[in-house]
Amino acid sequence: MVTDVVSRQYPHYLYRYEAGEATQDENGSWQPASEGWVLHGVCREETNGKGTQIQATDGRFITFASLVQLPKGTQRVPEGTLIAVAEMPLEPSQLLEEAKAAGVIRVSGDCLKFDNGRLHCRIWV
């Protein structure tokens, strides 16, 4: 039992929503931006059951919904990026619509703060 917990330290999957910018082709025509959900990596989501607050980068205190733990060295997620944590790997097209209905999404919302710690990274949602 304990070995299963240790080997599955990060049992969830973190997705981020990428919204690109429209570009112009060589004829001057605007091409739509590529946007959609992208797998960012593995994680472990923990619900904030106590209503704990954090201080955001602008000095405000925010009550967060969840703390998401990530392996050390995970690429930074900019504050304000829309993220979702799922129980299992998903196809990007099914991420929010079908997965929320099926109860596979644990939490979704904006990244309130990212911390690149000594032992692991953290995101507050």
Side-chain angles (χ1 to χ4, degrees), residues 1-15:
M1 178 90 171
V2 173
T3 56
D4 184 44
V5 172
V6 172
S7 66
R8 303 239 334 138
Q9 184 175 3
Y10 301 107
H12 307 129
Y13 298 86
L14 176 67
Y15 292 85

Side-chain angles (χ1 to χ4, degrees), residues 58-93:
D58 62 1
R60 294 179 300 130
F61 283 90
I62 301 170
T63 303
F64 61 96
S66 291
L67 173 63
V68 180
Q69 309 271 357
L70 305 148
K72 181 165 179 54
T74 300
Q75 180 184 4
R76 179 176 199 80
V77 175
E79 282 82 4
T81 301
L82 182 59
I83 64 168
V85 176
E87 295 276 349
M88 58 190 208
L90 301 169
E91 290 297 320
S93 62

Side-chain angles (χ1 to χ4, degrees), residues 15 24 37 54 106 113:
Y15 292 85
Q24 281 185 307
W37 290 98
I54 58 162
R106 295 179 60 89
K113 184 176 179 181

